Amino acid sequence: LGRKVQQKLAEAMSKRSHFSKDEVDKLLDMWSLITAGGTRLDRNKFRDVLHNTFDMTDDILMDRVFRAFDKDMDSNLSQEEWVLGLSVFLRGTLEERVAYCFNVYDMNNDGYISREEMFQMLKNSMVKQTTEEDPDEGIKDIVELVLKKMDHDHDNRLSMDDFMKSVKEEDLLLEAFGPCLPDTKYREKFLADLESGNVCLDISQAKS
């Protein structure tokens, strides 16, 4: 992007995000670095950013985070999707983060988190930590406990409304089915680096 065009874009996006114009400008510089001057950010490069910058390691959840950022579902992130996605990821309001986490966990995008989806995500995150020969039974028990606590309308699945009510009652339930938001220390480091202008350097080192 030409400098003037990018600055106009940064100004427009700052009004729709939790970033200042200067921060958006730096995020667009970072975008250009990651894409090597391209027009789209693909899934693999985005996963590199999640892994190298935010220490995310779960393949299924990283894929779902990509899909939550990719609003037009074209399997690439535009500059706008990159900035607005990071706005929620790093500085979102509670309501924005609840909607984001819900979208990550709603694996078939039908507007509900089903028993099967809960089981799959909990199994994915817990099997690595257990030595039980058959962890499935324990995971099924946890799914039932989660439904008992979070399924406010008792239809054996979680709607956005169920999820929102549950998180407002107990904020630890926000990432009930696996980590899809950055750990505080990585989020704070990224934002501090963004403010100081060092974040591009960190990502270029991670990518090399």
Side-chain angles (χ1 to χ4, degrees):
L1 280 181
R3 204 70 225 158
K4 282 187 177 175
V5 175
Q6 180 166 312
Q7 285 177 350
K8 279 189 176 178
L9 192 57
E11 188 169 359
M13 285 196 205
S14 69
K15 292 172 182 170
R16 299 173 55 205
S17 71
H18 301 297
F19 295 121
S20 68
K21 179 184 171 184
D22 185 51
E23 288 171 330
V24 175
D25 197 40
K26 288 171 184 169
L27 289 172
L28 293 174
D29 284 342
M30 193 192 314
W31 160 275
S32 296
L33 181 77
I34 299 165
T35 61
T39 57
R40 287 282 188 251
L41 177 57
D42 67 30
R43 186 186 311 257
N44 289 334
K45 286 177 181 169
F46 182 71
R47 280 167 57 123
D48 286 346
V49 173
L50 291 179
H51 179 66
N52 294 329
T53 308
F54 299 107
D55 199 35
M56 296 181 85
T57 56
D58 188 310
D59 287 337
I60 290 177
L61 285 174
M62 284 195 287
D63 185 61
R64 292 300 306 165
V65 170
F66 177 84
R67 288 172 185 268
F69 274 57
D70 182 22
K71 296 296 185 189
D72 63 4
M73 296 184 290
D74 69 348
S75 297
N76 288 285
L77 301 187
S78 65
Q79 291 164 314
E80 184 174 327
E81 287 170 335
W82 163 251
V83 171
L84 298 182
L86 285 174
S87 175
V88 174
F89 191 70
L90 297 165
R91 285 190 178 144
T93 63
L94 179 62
E95 286 76 12
E96 286 172 337
R97 286 180 290 129
V98 167
Y100 160 82
C101 289
F102 184 88
N103 288 336
V104 168
Y105 300 145
D106 175 18
M107 300 181 83
N108 66 355
N109 304 311
D110 68 348
Y112 295 93
I113 304 171
S114 67
R115 260 194 172 86
E116 293 73 24
E117 286 167 333
M118 291 179 218
F119 180 83
Q120 188 176 342
M121 287 179 291
L122 288 169
K123 182 172 182 177
N124 182 55
S125 60
M126 292 177 67
V127 166
K128 304 160 191 165
Q129 303 165 18
T130 182
T131 53
E132 290 178 46
E133 284 186 21
D134 182 17
D136 285 11
E137 286 307 312
I139 294 165
K140 284 177 185 170
D141 290 343
I142 293 170
V143 168
E144 294 310 313
L145 287 170
V146 167
L147 275 169
K148 195 172 179 181
K149 187 167 183 66
M150 298 179 74
D151 180 20
H152 290 269
D153 58 7
H154 309 295
D155 61 354
N156 292 309
R157 58 187 183 175
L158 300 185
S159 64
M160 175 77 83
D161 193 45
D162 288 330
F163 196 66
M164 183 74 76
K165 282 180 183 171
S166 301
V167 173
K168 284 186 172 177
E169 289 168 5
E170 176 51 77
D171 60 4
L172 289 174
L173 292 171
L174 181 62
E175 294 182 270
F177 306 112
C180 56
L181 286 163
D183 184 273
T184 302
K185 72 177 177 182
Y186 295 111
R187 179 173 61 83
E188 289 178 354
K189 181 181 186 309
F190 184 92
L191 290 171
D193 287 348
L194 185 64
E195 197 172 321
S196 66
N198 292 331
V199 74
C200 287
L201 181 63
D202 287 350
I203 288 197
S204 65
Q205 287 172 340
K207 292 292 298 163
S208 61

